[in-house]
């Protein structure tokens, strides 16, 4: 089968899950990963016969995609904030909203602290490590720590840290029962914020392939992590320290109220116009 013939087959097999443009994108991604042809080469050599092993691998990939498995998990990696990160079933696939959170955080940190070499930054809910590693890349002299309750997630985060040659201290612990012993200049988090009652609204492709503990609040209180972060901020966030949170868009005002003791606290919309972030200053 030629590249162009398989592309037609690929599009037909995935027509119930993906639009024509989406399947074309996915096909291009996997052919480049597998064969090494970029989009131009794929067009130029579209009538080239696929090697038997490559065709078998593309058939396997097609079958996996038909189950709803995220293409990033099949690839084993994703692009985020201009960096490549390893991902798997043990971590959430980072979303564009979290890139927005980091843009806000980086800009605010740069404008708020004239000296960044002594900064102490805490990330709560490591996942694949995208938040602490992006921050460490932009603030190489900062002391960056991160905590997660999943050893499997931390293993992935450490792998990403080694790949990018970035020094972040990863801590294992149940944050809801974890006592912070240090003070920080910056606390940042994208914790589990989907309420249990909202589970029916989440796509099966997300619920079936991404870790539940990273998606859903562990109790009926969707704000339980934000309450703990607020309490810790009173004791462990330095004066003039900064807070950055990704939140449930349905609970913007309720979440903001938890940080009314800050000298400044703002509810910030994402690029889609949803209440998505809270920024604060002690």
């Amino acid at each position: 089968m030629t590249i162009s013939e398989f592309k037609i087959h690929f599009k037909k097999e995935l027509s119930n899950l993906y639009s024509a443009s989406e399947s074309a994108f996915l096909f291009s991604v996997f052919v480049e990963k597998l064969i090494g042809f970029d989009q131009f080469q794929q067009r130029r050599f579209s009538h080239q016969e696929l090697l038997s092993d490559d065709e078998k691998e593309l058939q396997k990939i097609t079958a996996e995609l038909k189950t709803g498995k995220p293409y990033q998990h099949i690839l084993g990696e994703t692009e985020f904030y201009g960096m490549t990160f390893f991902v798997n079933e043990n971590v959430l696939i980072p979303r564009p909203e979290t890139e927005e959170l980091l843009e806000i955080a980086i800009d605010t940190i740069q404008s708020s602290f004239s000296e960044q070499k002594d900064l102490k930054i805490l990330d709560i809910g490591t996942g694949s490590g995208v938040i602490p590693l992006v921050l460490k890349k932009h603030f190489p002299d900062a002391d960056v720590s991160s905590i997660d309750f999943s050893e499997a997630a931390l293993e992935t985060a450490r792998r990403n840290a080694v790949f990018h040659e970035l020094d972040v201290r990863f801590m294992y612990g149940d944050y809801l029962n974890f006592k912070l012993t240090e003070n920080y200049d910056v606390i940042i988090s994208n914790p589990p914020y989907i309420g249990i009652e909202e589970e029916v609204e989440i796509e099966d492709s997300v619920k079936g392939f991404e870790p539940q503990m990273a998606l859903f609040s562990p109790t009926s209180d969707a704000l339980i992590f934000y309450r703990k972060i607020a309490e810790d901020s009173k004791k462990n966030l330095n004066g003039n320290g900064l807070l950055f949170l990704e939140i449930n868009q349905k609970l913007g005002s309720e979440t903001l109220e938890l940080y009314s003791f800050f000298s400044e606290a703002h509810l910030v919309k994402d690029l889609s116009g949803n209440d998505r972030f809270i920024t604060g200053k002690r």
Side-chain angles (χ1 to χ4, degrees), residues 72-271:
Q72 297 95 331
H73 283 175
I74 301 172
L75 278 175
E77 62 187 43
T78 191
E79 294 297 314
F80 180 87
Y81 218 92
M83 300 166 67
T84 299
F85 289 93
F86 301 113
V87 292
N88 51 46
E89 69 279 1
N90 300 308
V91 299
L92 286 183
I93 297 165
R95 268 63 173 183
E97 292 82 3
T98 306
E99 289 184 315
E100 292 182 53
L101 175 69
L102 280 163
E103 287 178 9
I104 294 168
I106 290 167
D107 287 347
T108 308
I109 292 169
Q110 288 175 336
S111 62
S112 299
F113 297 100
S114 57
E115 291 287 335
Q116 284 122 33
K117 64 180 181 180
D118 295 323
L119 283 179
K120 287 179 67 68
I121 300 173
L122 174 66
D123 165 58
I124 298 165
T126 302
S128 60
V130 295
I131 289 177
L133 291 172
V134 168
L135 289 176
K136 183 64 177 178
K137 182 177 180 180
H138 282 79
F139 305 105
D141 295 324
D143 178 355
V144 183
S145 302
S146 194
I147 182 172
D148 203 286
F149 195 28
S150 167
E151 283 281 19
L154 288 169
E155 183 179 336
T156 303
R158 292 188 184 105
R159 183 185 176 200
N160 281 318
V162 170
F163 178 74
H164 288 290
E165 300 180 333
L166 294 170
D167 183 17
V168 169
R169 179 160 54 107
F170 293 108
M171 302 178 288
Y172 170 76
D174 174 8
Y175 174 68
L176 294 177
N177 295 293
F178 191 88
K179 182 175 175 58
L180 297 180
T181 58
E182 301 179 57
N183 280 19
Y184 299 91
D185 300 296
V186 177
I187 293 177
I188 185 168
S189 183
N190 176 22
Y193 59 65
I194 302 174
I196 294 172
E197 72 282 355
E198 295 180 75
E199 183 175 355
V200 294
E201 302 174 24
I202 306 302
E203 295 179 10
D204 291 339
S205 61
V206 174
K207 290 187 291 187
F209 295 96
E210 298 192 64
Q212 303 288 295
M213 68 182 295
L215 288 167
F216 299 101
S217 168
T219 73
S220 58
D221 180 9
L223 298 180
I224 189 169
F225 279 93
Y226 300 95
R227 298 186 200 282
K228 174 73 159 57
I229 292 170
E231 288 303 309
D232 284 346
S233 295
K234 292 177 181 178
K235 299 171 289 185
N236 300 97
L237 186 61
N238 290 329
N240 293 319
L242 302 176
L243 177 76
F244 305 97
L245 303 173
E246 188 170 331
I247 68 169
N248 187 325
Q249 67 185 58
K250 297 180 180 180
L251 301 171
S253 58
E254 296 94 325
T255 311
L256 182 64
E257 180 62 29
L258 298 174
Y259 301 91
S260 59
F261 62 91
F262 273 57
S263 63
E264 295 180 30
H266 306 283
L267 185 60
V268 181
K269 295 184 183 296
D270 61 23
L271 292 177

Side-chain angles (χ1 to χ4, degrees), residues 6-7 10-11 13-15 17-34 37 39 42 58 61-62 64-66 68-75 77:
F6 199 98
K7 185 175 183 179
F10 185 87
K11 178 181 175 181
E13 288 293 300
L14 296 171
S15 60
L17 281 175
Y18 296 103
S19 68
S21 60
E22 288 171 332
S23 64
F25 164 76
L26 291 174
F27 182 77
S28 175
V29 165
F30 283 107
V31 169
E32 183 166 2
K33 179 75 172 179
L34 193 61
F37 285 0
Q39 287 184 331
Q42 288 174 36
L58 283 171
I61 288 167
T62 305
E64 286 187 283
L65 287 168
K66 286 174 71 174
K69 186 173 184 177
Y71 79 90
Q72 297 95 331
H73 283 175
I74 301 172
L75 278 175
E77 62 187 43

